[in-house]
Amino acid sequence: MAGRYLVDGVLPFPAMVTMECINVGLNTLFKAATAAGMSRHVFIVYSYSVAALLLLPSPFISRRSTRLPPLNFSILSKIALLGIIGSSSQIMGYTGINYSSPTLASAISNLVPAFTFILAIIFRMEKVVLKSSSSQAKVMGTIISISGAFVVTLYKGPSIIFSSTTTTTTSLSLNSSPSDSNWVLGSLLLTAEYILVPLWYIVQTKIMKEYPEEATVIFFYNLTVAIIAALVGVILEKDSSAWLLRQNTALASVLCSGVFGSCINNTVHTWALRLKGPVFVAMFKPLSIVVAIVMGVLFLGDSLYLGSLIGASIISIGFYTVMWGKAKEEEMGDEEGHTHNLTANMESHEDQKVPLLGTYKTQRYSSDHV
């Protein structure tokens, strides 16, 4: 019992914190690889192919399990839909990072909790009662988060932190001061990515209810994304030499992203979605902005812009307002559930007493009339 509580109740928290740190590191490594000339389409194909190869044994193992339902066409079609959402998200996200920075990507990722909340309402996974303070907090927090995202997207502002490595590290000159047009385009692409991520959470949660085997689902998901990205890459990537990995940075980026991102990260996210649901997973996104700022300034020569700082602060306020409303709602639900259980127990106890009293009266009446 204690071991199950540790795995299901405690372990998801440090696991999700670790995954957010890994995500920022992988985005930073991707930025370095593309700055050295690597195609983002090639990167997606290779990284997801590596992850699919690592998880290749999982479908054969899961087929022997008696606790799992058969992997039928309905489940595979939903995984294919998940792959379409994921590949679109990855292409938009990596293109957005290429035009802007990992720091901006982490700032806009704070939108995920708000979008997750909106989609959860649409799919009836969340309830909204406007007279309730918890619902009001969730709605207001969502509006505040979206407003903060507009600030990050539309207002760049002056640089407030300059990296000392900007002038000395020419090999990692990662477009840390992109043009305003590229910055806005990158922001819009990243916003589109983080609209698709909550949808990925919702669909993945529904899949896990039907087929609760993370490794097998992620294997087919990675395979689908690799195939879709390959088709897109063949069409958009005109230079055939782009498919050759010449730099060590490109090879390291592909391997790290394949192992720690597409394989481990996706599997851990899917596991947490099955245990805790999409809102729990989404609540860890704001952590990435702090990690991204530190890594961007220390390793990439990125500058911290005032717009990103203000927007991220607004988004964080909105996010924690939503989380407060969510916690308040769960607390009220627990109290209602406790009251309901107490009432049911009292009624059950009274029901148990009535027959005994009735039996006693019947026996007394019978003895008096013998």
Side-chain angles (χ1 to χ4, degrees), residues 209-236:
K209 290 181 179 179
E210 295 185 38
Y211 196 83
E213 177 57 39
E214 292 85 359
T216 301
V217 171
I218 293 301
F219 164 75
F220 284 108
Y221 166 73
N222 287 335
L223 184 62
T224 304
V225 173
I227 293 173
I228 294 174
L231 295 175
V232 174
V234 168
I235 296 172
L236 298 181

Side-chain angles (χ1 to χ4, degrees), residues 144-209:
I144 293 171
S145 294
I146 294 175
S147 302
F150 277 113
V151 172
V152 175
T153 303
L154 301 177
Y155 176 64
K156 180 180 175 182
S159 297
I160 58 177
I161 294 179
F162 297 91
S163 174
S164 59
T165 59
T166 304
T167 57
T168 58
T169 358
T170 54
S171 61
L172 291 180
S173 178
L174 304 182
N175 218 9
S176 57
S177 298
S179 65
D180 291 337
S181 59
N182 284 348
W183 186 268
V184 172
L185 178 59
S187 301
L188 294 175
L189 288 171
L190 289 169
T191 303
E193 178 199 7
Y194 289 115
I195 292 174
L196 292 176
V197 167
L199 185 59
W200 190 93
Y201 288 163
I202 299 293
V203 175
Q204 184 69 300
T205 303
K206 291 183 177 293
I207 291 174
M208 293 310 297
K209 290 181 179 179

Side-chain angles (χ1 to χ4, degrees), residues 278-313:
V279 176
F280 175 86
V281 174
M283 70 181 290
F284 289 90
K285 282 297 178 184
L287 293 175
S288 62
I289 182 63
V290 179
V291 182
I293 290 173
V294 174
M295 293 187 67
V297 172
L298 291 180
F299 301 110
L300 294 181
D302 277 351
S303 298
L304 176 62
Y305 293 96
L306 181 63
S308 296
L309 183 62
I310 294 175
S313 301

Side-chain angles (χ1 to χ4, degrees), residues 231-282:
L231 295 175
V232 174
V234 168
I235 296 172
L236 298 181
E237 192 58 59
K238 305 300 182 182
D239 186 8
S240 58
S241 63
W243 294 89
L244 299 176
L245 301 180
R246 295 186 178 88
Q247 296 93 4
N248 292 332
T249 304
L251 181 60
S253 178
V254 166
L255 291 177
C256 289
S257 180
V259 175
F260 297 104
S262 304
C263 182
I264 297 177
N265 198 353
N266 285 340
T267 303
V268 171
H269 272 75
T270 303
W271 168 71
L273 286 169
R274 178 173 63 84
L275 291 179
K276 299 293 186 179
V279 176
F280 175 86
V281 174

